[in-house]
């Protein structure tokens, strides 16, 4: 197309010196769209490619986002039922998933999602061999393992959104309980995203003050029950939101775009995300993905931090790993 602007003194505009940043979002359901719109508002990509099997929903979502162009940072938005639109992605985010049918077991749902992944993951990694792949579909830890196996990508470039969201819920609840800002609460949930997650009470600090030793020093009754209730609320949080509005979307949207920022801007921040955990924190039973505090950067996983865990926390984490491994062994992958 002819340029709308005239070059000054007849000089041609210089060719672009930087490559576009491209993010693909697979699955434009509630979660995929919350992620896409948060990425857009936070100006994290030059290009966003959307993929889904439902062409009408896909085109509708693309147009709806494109119509907001006058209010958003400049981003090219494309959409296709064909994976070829994702070619050359820097980050591929997978939220596609089958929904649990009434009365269906979690294992059966998992098997349906594994067969869905066996169709979508190989073409995605083939089209973007340098990408970091982020899995969000549930059960996220096992599906991240499945995606790693099917993609042929190195383990440092396959990450599950894991307990980044659980940890955010945890920080919110602790902040609410203590009437402080959630940004000042350093607290991790590790292990499986969901029911067998492990709350690391021993390493929580608020504004740099370790919370348990503070409570001990102040001889405040050790609020064990309160602490346990907070973790229960974290685990129940997703069920509660789903029960009330039918799905979760905003918090996972912000959680994933926060991870996208760290990765694409090479922020080297520590996030609890699902990574190949074999060899860390006494997890030696097999190849298992679960959430550990991980340093992330442009090449994906840079390393795993060595937090001090109490004996109890360590045992809970290993139990979480065994739970996931048992289910994995039934998949035959
Ligand atoms: P949804 O609204 O049903 O969206 C799923 C989308 O996937 C639909 O638009 C489908 O058409 C699409 N889809 C199905 N098959 C394919 C395919 N082969 N290729 C491309 N797209 C396909 O579900 P929702 O968006 O609510 O949830 C998506 C997934 O995220 C589910 O597995 C959730 O359990 C999971 N979540 C994970 C969270 C986490 O913390 N890891 C949090 C929330 C939800």
């Amino acid at each position: 197309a002819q340029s709308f602007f005239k070059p000054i003194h007849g000089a041609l505009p210089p060719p672009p010196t930087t490559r576009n940043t491209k993010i693909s979002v697979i699955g434009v359901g509630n979660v995929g769209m919350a992620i896409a719109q948060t990425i857009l508002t936070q100006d994290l990509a030059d290009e966003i490619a959307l993929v889904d099997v439902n062409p009408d929903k896909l085109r509708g979502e693309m147009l709806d986002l494109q119509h907001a162009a006058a209010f958003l940072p400049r981003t090219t938005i494309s959409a296709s039922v064909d994976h070829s639109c994702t070619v050359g992605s820097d980050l591929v985010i997978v939220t596609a998933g089958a929904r649990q049918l009434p009365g269906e077991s979690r294992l059966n749902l998992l098997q349906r999602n594994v067969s869905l992944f066996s169709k979508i993951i190989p073409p995605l990694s083939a089209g973007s061999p340098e990408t970091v792949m982020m899995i969000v579909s549930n059960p996220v830890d096992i599906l991240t393992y499945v995606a790693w196996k099917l993609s042929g990508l190195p383990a440092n470039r396959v990450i599950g959104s894991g307990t980044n969201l659980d940890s955010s819920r945890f920080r919110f609840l602790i902040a609410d309980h203590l009437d402080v800002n959630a940004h000042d609460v350093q607290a991790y949930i590790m292990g499986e995203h969901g029911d067998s997650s492990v709350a690391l009470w021993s390493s929580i600090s608020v504004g740099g003050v370790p919370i348990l030793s503070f409570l001990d020093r102040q001889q405040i009754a050790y609020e064990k029950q309160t602490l346990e209730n907070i973790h229960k609320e974290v685990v129940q949080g997703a069920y509660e939101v789903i029960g009330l509005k039918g799905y979760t979307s905003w918090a996972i949207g912000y959680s994933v775009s926060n991870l996208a920022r760290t990765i694409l801007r090479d922020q080297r921040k520590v996030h609890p995300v699902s990574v190949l955990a074999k060899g860390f924190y006494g997890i030696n039973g097999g190849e298992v993905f679960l959430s550990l505090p991980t340093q992330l950067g442009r090449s994906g996983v840079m390393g795993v931090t060595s937090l001090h865990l109490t004996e109890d926390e360590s045992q809970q984490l290993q139990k979480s790993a065994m739970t996931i491994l048992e289910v994995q062994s039934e998949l035959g992958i």
Side-chain angles (χ1 to χ4, degrees), residues 25-35 51-54 57-58 80-81 83 94-99 109 113 116-117 119-120 135-141 143 160-166 169 193 238 242 246-249 251-253 255-256:
V25 179
I26 318 303
V28 299
N30 304 302
V31 171
M33 286 316 294
I35 292 170
V51 177
D52 201 287
V53 281
N54 180 340
K57 161 97 170 139
L58 186 60
S80 174
V81 291
H83 289 133
V94 181
T95 77
R99 281 198 172 184
L109 172 71
N113 275 334
L116 188 152
F117 266 42
K119 287 193 207 90
I120 65 175
I135 307 302
V136 182
S137 316
N138 271 323
V140 66
D141 300 292
L143 288 179
S161 65
T163 58
N164 197 50
L165 172 60
D166 313 50
R169 287 187 178 125
H193 164 65
I242 291 169
Y247 53 86
T248 64
S249 58
I252 183 68
S255 164
V256 172

Side-chain angles (χ1 to χ4, degrees), residues 90-113:
D90 299 283
L91 179 63
V92 173
I93 301 168
V94 181
T95 77
R99 281 198 172 184
Q100 200 157 5
L101 301 169
E104 185 181 33
S105 72
R106 286 185 87 187
L107 187 61
N108 204 58
L109 172 71
L110 172 61
Q111 264 151 353
R112 286 201 294 134
N113 275 334

Side-chain angles (χ1 to χ4, degrees), residues 21-185:
T21 302
K22 180 169 178 178
I23 301 180
S24 294
V25 179
I26 318 303
V28 299
N30 304 302
V31 171
M33 286 316 294
I35 292 170
Q37 88 92 22
T38 318
I39 283 171
L40 267 176
T41 55
Q42 300 200 3
D43 198 8
L44 292 178
D46 303 295
E47 281 181 74
I48 296 186
L50 306 172
V51 177
D52 201 287
V53 281
N54 180 340
D56 289 347
K57 161 97 170 139
L58 186 60
R59 185 165 165 74
E61 291 292 9
M62 178 190 75
L63 291 173
D64 206 4
L65 285 182
Q66 286 175 340
H67 295 169
F71 316 113
L72 288 170
R74 184 169 175 264
T75 308
T76 307
I77 304 165
S78 60
S80 174
V81 291
D82 188 335
H83 289 133
S84 59
C85 75
T86 68
V87 163
S89 295
D90 299 283
L91 179 63
V92 173
I93 301 168
V94 181
T95 77
R99 281 198 172 184
Q100 200 157 5
L101 301 169
E104 185 181 33
S105 72
R106 286 185 87 187
L107 187 61
N108 204 58
L109 172 71
L110 172 61
Q111 264 151 353
R112 286 201 294 134
N113 275 334
V114 169
S115 68
L116 188 152
F117 266 42
S118 63
K119 287 193 207 90
I120 65 175
I121 299 294
L124 288 171
S125 55
S128 303
E130 301 303 322
T131 194
V132 174
M133 188 174 273
M134 165 109 23
I135 307 302
V136 182
S137 316
N138 271 323
V140 66
D141 300 292
I142 298 179
L143 288 179
T144 307
Y145 164 81
V146 170
W148 172 55
K149 284 282 173 193
L150 293 170
S151 66
L153 295 173
N156 64 302
R157 288 200 271 120
V158 184
I159 300 163
S161 65
T163 58
N164 197 50
L165 172 60
D166 313 50
S167 299
S168 163
R169 287 187 178 125
F170 195 38
R171 289 168 67 187
F172 158 70
L173 290 168
I174 293 167
D176 199 41
H177 181 64
L178 298 174
D179 195 19
V180 297
N181 188 320
H183 285 264
D184 286 334
V185 179

